[in-house]
Amino acid sequence: MAEDRQGDVRGAPLFAALDDEAASALRASMTEVRLSRGDVLFHEGQPGDQLYVVTSGKIKLGRTSSDGRENLLAIQGPGEMFGELSLFDPGPRTATATAVTSTTLIALGHADLQPWLTGRPEVATQLLRALAQRLRRTNDTLADLVFSDVPGRVAKALLDLAKRFGVQSEDGIHVTHDLTQEELAQLVGASRETVNKALADFAQRGWLRHEARAVVILDVERLTRRSR
Ligand code: CMP
């Protein structure tokens, strides 16, 4: 894990409204962290006083049950923030953060963040917005766990990944999610076998095509219908 001081803070919605001077002052107080696939940034239960913004790559946020099963709360990509919970509500980290591909992040400590929250209302507003979006998303996920079947949840997860990481090309939307099938299963809260079956069914119907740690979505409309 390498660390140095740099990073484009305005790439993150949280700091997008800052002017040149403010952005470079903020950058000076932030540290860049580089991770390779599989590197753990922090573990659930550890104390923490830094929040992170992803500048490139992807981070998975996961929790482990007492019998060792894993559940993924979210995959965070460029511009997205995490690690703020233990900052604002001092306590242990609520999830383990692991890189799923080569990833760079910028880190901001509690003491360095405080003046931005009190002195720049636009930063505080963006932070509240990010937290509100997270609650909205978490409520949707919770409802899907109760009301949707596994294929519906797989379809929804793929569409969400496509929205954030997809690249439109002639034959469809290429989504390099960087997740193994096991990780995809942990993200939708189902067994690997059930998720594989759903993916195979979607592929057989011609809705998508598999690639290594990626899918190409060929029929967004049908996948969207299946996700409802
Ligand atoms: P923290 O508890 O410091 O470390 C783990 C981080 O995972 C946490 O802060 C949040 O930033 C993030 N996190 C926790 N729960 C969720 C969730 N339901 N959705 C997205 N991110 C989350």
Side-chain angles (χ1 to χ4, degrees), residues 149-160 184-185 188 190 194-196 198-199 202 208 223 227:
D149 60 1
V150 174
R153 302 207 301 265
V154 173
K156 200 160 186 175
L158 291 176
L159 290 166
D160 174 59
L184 202 55
V188 300
T194 329
V195 170
N196 283 355
L199 287 170
F202 294 165
L208 55 78
L223 203 61
S227 74

Side-chain angles (χ1 to χ4, degrees), residues 175-218:
V175 190
T176 308
H177 50 61
D178 292 307
L179 303 174
T180 61
Q181 293 209 335
E182 182 72 46
E183 286 168 331
L184 202 55
Q186 291 166 354
L187 187 62
V188 300
S191 73
R192 190 179 146 165
E193 293 70 26
T194 329
V195 170
N196 283 355
K197 224 165 99 186
L199 287 170
D201 178 56
F202 294 165
Q204 196 255 327
R205 288 169 190 267
W207 299 355
L208 55 78
R209 192 174 72 230
H210 293 290
E211 288 183 0
R213 289 190 186 152
V215 288
V216 184
I217 298 180
L218 305 169

